[in-house]
Structures are given as structure tokens and as C-alpha cells.
Amino acid sequence: MRAPVRVEVENVRLAFGATEVLRGIDLAIAPGEFFALLGPSGCGKSTLLRLIAGFNQAQSGRVLIGGEDVTRLAPWQRNVGMVFQSYALWPHLTVGENVAFGLEERRRPRAEIRRRVADALALVGLAELADRRPGQLSGGQQQRVALARTVAVEPRVLLLDEPLSNLDAKLRVHMRRELVELQRKLGITTLFVTHDQEEALTTCDRIAVMSEGRIVQTGSPTELYDAPATRFVAEFVGSINLLDGRLEKGIGEGTLFVSPAVGPLPVPVTDSMPGHGEVTLAFRPHGVAVAAEPSDPHRLWLAGTVAEREFLGEFVRYRVRVGGAELLADAPHLTGAPWFDPGASVQVGIDPRELRVLPA
């Protein structure tokens, strides 16, 4: 594969009729980076991917690949590879013929085509299936054929449009590990579109979260999970507790978060925290303990009643009524450990280090 390239999108706007789909998108993907566009259906992520590929044209803005302005170039002139959600394999061609298709369209020499097809199939572990047809393969094997067909043409950029969505849950986990391994082997700049936050968090170096045609936050998986910038990002990336209220000055140097639902809570002061006003307090369920009585003195303890309990294998998720709110708390599942039943009176302990203050 050639040296990895940088991908840049500058102030791109795209509308279909009166509907604005992309609203001033700015994006920079480093050479060799595995980057995700994450967001709900209809947020514009697939439209942006197709625009980078050349299948959509923006009304304004630029797309640069390796420093070259490709905004007005046709898809076949950009030398990018795209793996579609449906895989788009020709059912009447063999695996080898499917992988060779793009090379034949480029009129490469026959010996080079044979070499590149063999190399691509070996890379994805399908060398022995070159003579089969797509209908004789599993979903995971079909996805690997689609990847092999794409990498065989040695694209400058690899674009993946929800490539795992047609697989069952167990196979998705396996295939995303293979995707990461393949991307690391190739070192190719890769852009991955998904609505599944777990896929994005476990595979990509950085993620751009999109909403209503805009990028609302970009960062590493841990940055987005630990320090969401907005309520939307906090809710979309993982499970979270959100309490609306006000920040007020407490005794001495302290700050109080006063919520109509649960009352006052002392919160740690940070440089980025507003001095006062309407805010949302956010904290993840794994930062909330459930106990019969308060124990850890460093936690903020609130009395509550268990409303619901879910066994999720690795942990037990409680939904606890505290005042006028319901809080999620995740307790690690240990064999033989007692559970709290719905209706039980409990104490929930919030780790103050996990608290995040967001704009209301």
C-alpha cells in the first residue's frame, strides 16, 4: 500500500432541495488514522462519507485528499475505496472475480491482477475460497470479500459505510477486531460510519459525533465518554444519568448543585465549570454504588428505592428512585453476591470524581 494520506473537509454544506443535510462541516483526519463518524440515523454521516467518495456534491466547501482538492473530481478519479453496507458483490462472479473487478476496470495487466487478487484474499484469510460464489459464503466471509476487493486497488483512503450492520451480534464483535487488525496492517487512512457507539469506541482512534448535519464533538473514545461537551453527546455515547439544576456557591470555597429532583449536592470545582446558573449534572452508572447503608465516606450518598433490576451478565443494572429522579447504577456481578430486589430501600453513592457539569 502507498503512504497514508490526510483527509480534510472544509466548510462543506450540502442540501437536497430545501433540506440542509450538511451544515458547515469541518473535519481533518490524520494520515493512517482510523476515524469514525458516529450519530443517529439521518444525522448526515453517510451523506458525508459519500461526499468524500465523490458520490455526493456539496453546494459549497472543499474536500482534500493528500493535499489535493478533489471536490469536483468524479469518484473513480479520487482513488478511494468504499465498502458498502450491502457489500455489493456480484452474485454471478466467483470470489476471485469479484476481487479482480476493480482492477479489470482499471485495465491493469493480467499478471498484476492475479498477484493483487491473491495478495488481497490472503490478507483477509480467504485465499482458499477464490473459486466460490458469494451465495456460498457466510456474512462475515462476504464482508471480507468486499474488503479484499477494495484494498486490491490500493486506494489512498478506505471508506466503510456501516459494514458490520448485517452481521449477528457475536460475528460483529469478531469482525470489528479483524477490521482493526487489517487497518493496522495496511496503515491506510480509514473513515468508518456507524450508529453503534460500541463499535466506534472499540475500533477507532478518534470519533466525530454528528447531529442534524453538524459535528458536535470530536475526540478520542475516552474523551467522548469521560468528558462529553453537550447533553446530546453524553446521552448518545453510553448510558448516563442527567440531573437538571443550578450551580450555587456553597460554604467556603465549595459549590453546590441544587436540583429540584434530588436536592443539593456538593460538587468538585474545576476551571471549566461555570460559577453559577442553570446546568446539567452528568455521571455514568458505573460511578454509582448501591448499598444497604452508606459506606465509602468519599461518595455522595442519597436514599432511594429500587424501581427495577436488570441482569446484564457482567454487571447488574439498578434503576433507583431518588426523590423525583430515577438514577442508573451498575454493580459488578460476582457469583453468589446478593442482589437488591425491586422495592428495597437502598443508598446510592455517587463518586464525585465522575461528575461532569454540562450546559443546560
Side-chain angles (χ1 to χ4, degrees), residues 88-283:
L89 301 177
W90 298 104
H92 62 288
L93 300 181
T94 66
V95 165
E97 291 167 341
N98 266 284
V99 176
F101 184 81
L103 296 167
E104 291 172 346
E105 288 294 302
R106 289 165 172 78
R107 304 187 187 284
R108 307 308 303 166
R110 183 57 52 187
E112 181 185 342
I113 291 175
R114 286 197 295 269
R115 175 181 60 78
R116 286 212 206 174
V117 168
D119 289 347
L121 287 176
L123 186 67
V124 299
L126 293 179
E128 73 283 2
L129 302 182
D131 295 327
R132 292 195 187 179
R133 299 193 187 278
Q136 298 173 297
L137 305 179
S138 67
Q141 290 170 330
Q142 289 182 37
Q143 190 225 41
R144 282 189 273 170
V145 174
L147 283 167
R149 180 183 58 190
T150 302
V151 301
V153 301
E154 296 184 351
R156 293 193 290 175
V157 179
L158 181 60
L159 305 176
L160 307 172
D161 189 7
E162 305 218 32
L164 308 180
S165 61
N166 292 328
L167 306 178
D168 63 57
K170 189 172 183 178
L171 187 54
R172 276 203 304 273
V173 173
H174 174 73
M175 288 307 302
R176 74 190 185 207
R177 288 199 299 265
E178 290 201 356
L179 265 182
V180 172
E181 183 179 347
L182 177 64
Q183 195 272 341
R184 298 293 184 249
K185 280 182 182 178
L186 298 174
I188 187 173
T189 307
T190 301
L191 185 54
F192 179 38
V193 161
T194 181
H195 65 275
D196 187 322
Q197 50 96 8
E198 184 175 300
E199 282 181 3
L201 293 175
T202 55
T203 58
C204 296
D205 302 313
R206 283 194 305 143
I207 302 166
V209 181
M210 294 188 65
S211 175
E212 299 180 342
R214 294 185 174 90
I215 293 176
V216 293
Q217 188 176 354
T218 301
S220 69
T222 52
E223 286 170 344
L224 294 179
Y225 190 84
D226 291 341
T230 67
R231 186 185 186 109
F232 174 83
V233 176
E235 289 184 292
F236 196 81
V237 181
S239 301
I240 200 158
N241 293 296
L242 297 171
L243 293 173
D244 295 322
R246 287 181 56 83
L247 283 183
E248 299 179 0
K249 291 295 183 183
I251 299 173
E253 296 297 319
T255 297
L256 286 178
F257 170 78
V258 181
S259 164
V262 301
L265 288 174
V267 295
V269 177
T270 65
D271 293 337
S272 60
M273 184 182 294
H276 57 84
E278 301 293 331
V279 296
T280 297
L281 195 64
F283 48 100

Side-chain angles (χ1 to χ4, degrees), residues 16-43:
F16 298 131
T19 304
E20 195 172 16
V21 181
L22 299 177
R23 308 180 184 191
I25 297 292
D26 287 298
L27 185 65
I29 303 170
E33 190 171 27
F34 199 156
F35 194 95
L37 296 174
L38 174 67
S41 297
C43 71

